[in-house]
C-alpha cells in the first residue's frame, strides 16, 4: 500500500490511488473463502474523540503558504472548469479483469470518492456495446412509428430543434447496468467498490416525456402496449419497454444531464431514460421508437440481460432493478488510519420507488443499526445514508441492507442464491460485505 501517512484525508476517499499492482492483478482472478455468519463482533467501543492529525507547531498552519502571498490565476483560465490537479486519480476506470472487444467495454464510476447522490458527468460510468460516437446534433433525428398503422396514426420524424421546443421536465434518477456486481455471482474477489458496484450513476436528466411524443403522433394505447427503442450506434441496441412505464409519464426522451447537454459517451444528443429499469433499456443515441402489440424479443433481450436460473432455464424481461445498497466509505482497498470515530457512508436505491430505510451492521449481519438517510429522498434515485461508528481496532465486517417503499428488503447472498443459484451474470442485489482487519485494511468478502 505504500506510505499512507503523508496523505491525510485521502485514505477513505480514493483507494484506487493506492491500489497495489498485486491488487490490480487480483481483479477477476482471485477466489475467496466464504465467511460464515458465526463471525463474532468486536465489542462496541465507547465514543472516542476524532484524533487531531496536525501536531502542535505544524508549519502548515504557522507559515503562510504561497497561495496566501502571491497573485492567483485570473477568471476563465479554464473556460470549462476542471477538477483540482490533486484529484487527478479519481477517474472512471476499466476493470483489468474484463476484456475490451473493439469499442465494446465498461468503465466504472469511482463511487468511493463521490459525495451526495449526483455523479459528476465526467465520472458517469460508461457501457458501450460497440463504442461511442460524438453525434452531430444537426444531423440527428428521432423517428416515431408503429409496427401497424392502427397503433399510431401520425408517424413523425423530429429534429433536435423540434424536440427541444416541446415542454420538458428535469428529474433525478439512478441508472444501473443489469450486470453491475455481476462478477460477485461467481465469488470473484473484486477488490474495490468501483469495480463491484461502479456500473451505477445518478444524474438530473432533462427531456420530453415519451408519452407526450407518442400522443403527438396519435398513439392508440388500447392497441399499442409495447415500445421498441433503437440506438443509432453500430450495435443497433434495441429494447422493448412495456407501455405502462410510458403511460405514467416517467420515461423521458432526454437531451440534458446535470444541467448541460448529455455527454457523448452517455448518448449525446438524445437518450431514453427509463427510471428504475436496468441500464440497457436506456438506449443511447436514440434514433427510433416503434410501438407494437407484443414484446419484440430482440437480440439484446433474448441473449443478453436474462437470468440463468438453477434449473437451467433463463428468466427474461426482469428489467426492474430491485432494492440494493452498498457502503462506499470505508470500502475495499481503503485502510482505516487508527481507532476512533468514522462516518460510515453509502448509497441505496430501488427501481420500484423510494428507499425507506437502511440498516448497517458492523459484525457481519448479527446486529443492525438504522442509518441516517439524507433527504429529500427521490423516486428511483440514489439515496445517501450515513451512520456513526467508533472502530475499536478489532476485526469487523461492515454491511448495509436497504428497504424500499414496497416493503422489499435487500437479500443476503444466502437468500439470493437460494432462488437464483450461482450461474447468473445479471441482477445481483445481495448485501455487500467489507471486512476490516486489525491493520485497518478493508477487503471484499462474502457473507452468506
Ligand atoms: N444504447 C446504445 N445505443 N448502445 C449501447 O451500447 N448500452 C446500454 C445502454 N444504452 C448501450 C445503450 C447499456 S448495457 C447500459 S448499462 C447503458 O446504456 C449505459 O449507459 P451509460 O454508458 O450512459 O452509463
Amino acid at each position: 500500500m505504500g506510505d499512507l501517512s503523508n496523505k491525510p484525508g485521502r485514505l477513505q476517499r480514493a483507494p484506487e490511488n493506492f491500489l497495489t499492482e498485486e491488487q490490480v492483478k487480483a481483479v477477476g482472478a482471485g477466489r475467496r473463502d466464504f465467511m460464515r455468519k458465526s463471525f463474532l463482533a468486536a465489542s462496541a467501543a465507547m465514543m472516542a474523540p476524532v484524533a487531531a492529525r496536525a501536531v502542535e507547531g505544524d508549519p502548515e498552519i504557522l507559515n503562510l503558504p504561497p497561495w496566501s502571498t502571491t497573485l492567483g490565476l485570473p477568471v476563465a483560465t479554464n473556460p470549462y472548469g476542471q477538477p483540482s490537479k490533486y484529484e487527478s486519480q479519481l477517474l472512471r476506470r476499466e476493470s483489468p479483469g474484463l476484456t475490451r472487444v473493439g469499442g465494446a467495454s465498461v468503465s466504472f464510476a469511482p463511487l468511493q470518492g463521490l459525495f451526495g447522490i449526483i455523479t459528476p458527468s465526467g465520472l458517469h460510468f460508461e457501457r458501450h456495446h460497440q463504442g461511442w460516437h460524438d453525434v452531430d446534433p444537426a444531423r440527428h433525428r428521432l423517428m416515431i412509428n408503429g409496427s401497424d398503422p392502427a397503433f399510431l396514426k401520425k408517424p413523425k420524424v423530429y429534429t433536435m430543434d423540434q424536440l427541444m421546443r416541446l415542454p420538458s421536465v428535469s428529474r433525478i434518477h439512478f441508472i444501473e447496468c443489469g450486470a453491475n456486481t455481476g462478477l460477485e455471482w461467481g465469488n470473484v474477489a473484486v477488490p474495490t467498490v468501483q469495480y463491484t458496484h461502479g456500473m451505477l450513476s445518478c444524474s438530473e436528466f432533462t427531456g420530453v416525456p415519451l408519452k407526450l411524443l407518442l400522443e403527438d403522433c396519435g398513439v392508440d394505447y388500447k392497441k399499442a402496449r409495447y415500445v421498441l427503442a433503437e440506438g443509432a450506434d453500430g450495435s443497433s441496441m434495441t429494447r422493448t419497454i412495456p407501455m405502462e412505464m410510458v403511460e405514467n409519464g416517467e420515461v423521458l426522451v432526454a437531451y440534458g444531464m446535470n444541467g448541460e447537454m448529455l455527454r457523448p459517451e452517455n448518448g449525446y444528443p438524445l437518450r431514453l431514460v427509463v427510471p428504475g429499469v436496468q441500464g440497457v433499456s436506456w438506449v443511447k443515441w436514440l434514433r427510433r421508437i416503434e410501438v407494437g402489440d407484443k414484446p419484440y424479443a430482440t437480440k439484446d433481450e433474448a441473449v443478453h440481460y436474462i437470468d440463468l436460473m438453477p434449473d437451467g432455464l433463463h428468466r427474461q424481461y426482469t428489467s426492474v432493478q430491485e432494492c440494493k445498497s452498498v457502503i462506499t466509505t470505508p470500502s475495499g482497498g481503503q485502510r482505516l488510519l487508527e481507532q476512533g470515530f468514522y462516518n460510515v457512508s453509502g448509497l441505496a436505491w430501488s427501481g420500484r420507488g423510494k428507499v425507506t430505510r437502511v440498516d448497517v451492521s458492523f459484525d457481519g449481519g448479527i446486529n443492525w443499526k438504522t442509518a441516517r438517510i439524507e433527504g429529500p429522498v427521490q423516486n428511483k434515485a440514489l439515496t445517501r445514508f450515513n451512520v456513526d461508528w467508533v472502530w475499536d481496532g478489532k476485526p469487523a465486517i461492515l454491511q448495509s441492507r436497504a428497504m424500499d417503499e414496497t416493503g422489499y428488503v435487500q437479500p443476503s447472498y444466502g437468500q439470493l442464491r437460494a432462488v437464483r443459484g450461482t450461474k447468473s451474470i445479471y441482477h445481483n442485489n445481495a448485501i455487500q460485505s467489507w471486512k476490516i482487519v486489525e491493520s485497518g485494511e478493508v477487503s471484499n468478502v462474502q457473507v452468506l
Side-chain angles (χ1 to χ4, degrees):
M1 272 260 174
D3 177 22
L4 302 175
S5 57
N6 63 348
K7 297 184 178 77
R10 299 300 313 181
L11 298 174
Q12 297 186 55
R13 292 204 284 128
E16 305 298 12
N17 300 1
F18 311 118
L19 210 63
T20 61
E21 285 306 309
E22 297 92 76
Q23 281 172 313
V24 170
K25 278 194 208 119
V27 177
R31 304 214 154 235
R32 74 195 136 202
D33 296 330
F34 277 73
M35 306 287 300
R36 298 238 167 256
K37 277 257 181 183
S38 60
F39 173 85
L40 283 177
S43 60
M46 297 296 289
M47 187 79 172
V50 177
R53 292 218 206 300
V55 288
E56 228 176 288
D58 185 347
E60 295 295 357
I61 189 68
L62 291 178
N63 305 331
L64 282 180
W67 46 87
S68 299
T69 54
T70 53
L71 289 176
L73 296 168
V75 292
T77 302
N78 296 324
Y80 196 101
Q82 296 296 314
S84 161
K85 64 183 177 194
Y86 301 107
E87 302 297 321
S88 63
Q89 286 304 303
L90 193 72
L91 301 168
R92 47 186 180 199
R93 291 170 189 266
E94 250 184 298
S95 166
L98 295 173
T99 318
R100 190 197 295 181
V101 184
S105 195
V106 188
S107 76
F108 296 78
L111 302 182
Q112 71 284 352
L114 304 182
F115 311 115
I117 61 168
I118 299 293
T119 313
S121 296
L123 294 176
H124 190 293
F125 84 95
E126 303 161 88
R127 171 71 180 112
H128 316 305
H129 283 236
Q130 231 265 352
W132 61 278
H133 302 267
D134 197 355
V135 171
D136 180 352
R139 295 184 54 199
H140 191 70
R141 300 287 181 272
L142 174 67
M143 178 165 109
I144 302 194
N145 68 285
S147 61
D148 182 303
F151 299 161
L152 187 113
K153 301 245 156 17
K154 297 171 283 176
K156 283 191 183 173
V157 176
Y158 296 87
T159 64
M160 285 304 296
D161 287 344
Q162 287 167 336
L163 285 170
M164 292 177 76
R165 286 173 64 181
L166 296 173
S168 68
V169 295
S170 295
R171 296 192 190 127
I172 296 175
H173 290 299
F174 77 83
I175 165 172
E176 182 183 22
C177 182
N180 201 25
T181 327
L183 285 174
E184 299 284 306
W185 278 116
N187 193 23
V188 172
V190 180
T192 72
V193 72
Q194 179 154 12
Y195 298 130
T196 57
H197 288 74
M199 281 196 266
L200 172 74
S201 294
C202 184
S203 297
E204 184 190 64
F205 293 97
T206 300
V208 183
L210 177 57
K211 177 183 162 77
L212 191 149
L213 294 177
L214 294 187
E215 289 170 10
D216 188 39
C217 296
V219 68
D220 182 341
Y221 286 126
K222 288 202 190 73
K223 294 183 179 132
R225 296 314 302 155
Y226 293 90
V227 158
L228 181 79
E230 183 185 285
D233 56 326
S235 78
S236 291
M237 173 61 69
T238 36
R239 289 289 304 185
T240 305
I241 294 133
M243 192 60 91
E244 305 92 74
M245 289 188 183
V246 179
E247 280 176 286
N248 72 14
E250 285 195 353
V251 177
L252 304 181
V253 171
Y255 42 80
M257 186 166 102
N258 297 332
E260 60 181 0
M261 289 298 284
L262 288 161
R263 295 289 172 95
E265 301 94 313
N266 305 114
Y268 178 89
L270 208 60
R271 88 173 303 167
L272 205 61
V273 166
V274 195
V277 168
Q278 60 179 333
V280 66
S281 294
W282 297 46
V283 173
K284 302 190 276 191
W285 313 289
L286 181 68
R287 70 184 292 273
R288 194 169 73 90
I289 295 279
E290 180 177 299
V291 296
D293 59 354
K294 48 183 163 314
Y296 284 76
T298 67
K299 67 170 173 35
D300 295 306
E301 36 202 28
V303 181
H304 304 131
Y305 304 95
I306 49 177
D307 303 324
L308 178 54
M309 302 298 281
D311 62 3
L313 294 176
H314 282 94
R315 277 194 332 194
Q316 208 181 1
Y317 294 123
T318 45
S319 301
V320 175
Q321 296 295 102
E322 299 292 356
C323 189
K324 186 167 170 182
S325 69
V326 66
I327 293 172
T328 51
T329 306
S331 57
Q334 298 182 329
R335 194 167 87 181
L336 302 184
L337 267 185
E338 60 213 351
Q339 296 178 29
F341 181 83
Y342 286 90
N343 179 55
V344 172
S345 186
L347 293 165
W349 62 100
S350 168
R352 300 203 186 269
K354 291 184 182 173
V355 169
T356 49
R357 183 168 145 182
V358 181
D359 290 337
V360 171
S361 175
F362 302 101
D363 56 13
I366 299 167
N367 296 291
W368 295 90
K369 181 175 173 183
T370 301
R372 295 185 302 278
I373 286 187
E374 271 184 17
V377 177
Q378 316 252 0
N379 177 43
K380 301 173 188 173
L382 290 188
T383 302
R384 173 67 60 177
F385 65 87
N386 293 291
V387 64
D388 299 342
W389 184 46
V390 178
W391 183 47
D392 59 7
K394 298 195 182 127
I397 291 186
L398 271 53
Q399 301 180 322
S400 63
R401 180 180 66 190
M403 282 154 251
D404 70 17
E405 59 184 330
T406 69
Y408 178 96
V409 181
Q410 184 183 1
S412 65
Y413 266 100
Q415 290 166 329
L416 191 67
R417 288 201 166 107
V419 178
R420 302 271 312 276
T422 55
K423 300 278 181 254
S424 202
I425 301 172
Y426 305 105
H427 309 122
N428 175 1
N429 69 325
I431 290 171
Q432 171 67 38
S433 304
W434 302 119
K435 180 181 171 191
I436 298 174
V437 292
E438 281 98 338
S439 65
E441 303 223 14
V442 188
S443 61
N444 181 3
V445 293
Q446 283 189 2
V447 175
L448 289 179

